[in-house]
Amino acid sequence: MVTITVIGLAAGAVVLSMPDPHPAVGLEAEQFAARLARAREEAILINQPVAVEADAGGYRFSSFDGADWTPLTGVFAPRSWGEGVSAPAAPTRIVFDPTGIADPARVRLSRDSQFRTVSIDGAGEVSIND
């Protein structure tokens, strides 16, 4: 009897410590906002415009060398939205110029009844709103 109780308690502890397989939309918004802020810094560091294109499938980054837009790699590799996260179907393009300035833009992410809006103001500052 004691052995079964100990096994039951151990199994319960394992189940309670497992992460949620569907994290909140806020986590996806925070990751996207962090990558946008990093893209702004990249534009300043490399002294070239950096664009972010977001659509219903995910987002990708590219830089302009004066002649062509080239996809960025590494931390800027294309990303898909997390499972169950939906974004506007219409593509949104955000371009950070070499001074970090961008045209204002908003990307609204939702999942179930939760939503977060990632906003970029005219100075290129990134914020997350409910």
Side-chain angles (χ1 to χ4, degrees), residues 74-123:
V75 296
F76 296 113
R79 306 275 178 161
S80 297
W81 301 116
E83 184 180 334
V85 173
S86 59
T92 301
R93 183 175 171 91
I94 304 157
V95 179
F96 295 100
D97 74 9
T99 63
I101 295 174
D103 287 333
R106 300 177 90 185
V107 177
R108 183 175 183 194
L109 304 176
S110 62
R111 179 165 194 246
D112 300 329
S113 62
Q114 302 175 348
F115 66 91
R116 296 290 184 274
T117 302
V118 179
S119 302
I120 300 89
D121 66 16

Side-chain angles (χ1 to χ4, degrees), residues 50-76:
V50 171
V52 183
E53 295 178 37
D55 57 27
Y59 53 98
R60 63 210 71 52
F61 300 88
S62 58
S63 67
F64 187 68
D65 62 10
D68 295 315
W69 285 97
T70 306
L72 294 174
T73 58
V75 296
F76 296 113

